[in-house]
Amino acid sequence: MTAPLPRITEDQVHFTAIRAQGAGGQNVNKVSNAVHLRFAIHGSSLPEAVQQRLLALSDQRITTEGVVVIKAQTSRSLEQNKADALARLQALIDSVAVVPKPRKPTRPTLGSQRRRVEGKVSRGQIKTLRARVSGTD
């Protein structure tokens, strides 16, 4: 049986309301509906292995200090943007929560090796026939 995936709660993250970019009419300059979510990986309740895999990701949302910063501004509602940011953080954590299977190296079969070489030889012969004919006969 596998261990359950770690769940992130709102008390582990820090939300900051900011003004959303883009079109919004007269309301855009008055209301802060976008959300910056900040999640410190080192101070979290995640297992150590999950933390290490999360820090090893080459994701632009993870800072060098180990803080995940997610900006959500798709909705006009602050609560919906918070829920969207939490869902995106959870998806990021779920992607590293499962241990990847180690790759087992395989070898090509003898028949596939021969077919590959035969194909290369036949292509070479076709290209040789395209060459200019020399008149030294």
Side-chain angles (χ1 to χ4, degrees), residues 15-93:
F15 291 106
T16 306
I18 58 172
R19 290 189 179 152
Q21 296 174 331
Q26 297 173 346
N27 203 34
V28 72
N29 293 324
K30 296 186 292 183
V31 181
S32 298
N33 282 341
V35 169
H36 262 171
L37 175 143
R38 293 185 180 278
F39 175 72
I41 298 172
H42 293 296
S44 68
S45 64
L46 294 175
E48 186 64 31
V50 175
Q51 287 183 15
Q52 293 304 319
R53 285 195 296 273
L54 195 57
L55 289 168
L57 282 179
S58 60
D59 196 318
Q60 64 185 11
R61 298 173 290 185
I62 302 174
T63 65
T64 55
E65 294 85 28
V67 177
V68 180
V69 179
I70 295 178
K71 182 178 182 181
Q73 61 179 8
T74 55
S75 175
R76 292 182 67 174
S77 166
L78 184 67
E79 287 73 28
Q80 286 179 348
N81 283 332
K82 278 185 179 182
D84 178 43
L86 264 177
R88 286 167 43 196
L89 174 65
Q90 189 64 52
L92 180 68
I93 292 172

Side-chain angles (χ1 to χ4, degrees), residues 1-8 45-51 53 90 93-99:
M1 185 170 133
T2 60
L5 295 177
R7 304 301 308 167
I8 299 301
S45 64
L46 294 175
E48 186 64 31
V50 175
Q51 287 183 15
R53 285 195 296 273
Q90 189 64 52
I93 292 172
D94 290 347
S95 70
V96 297
V98 179
V99 180

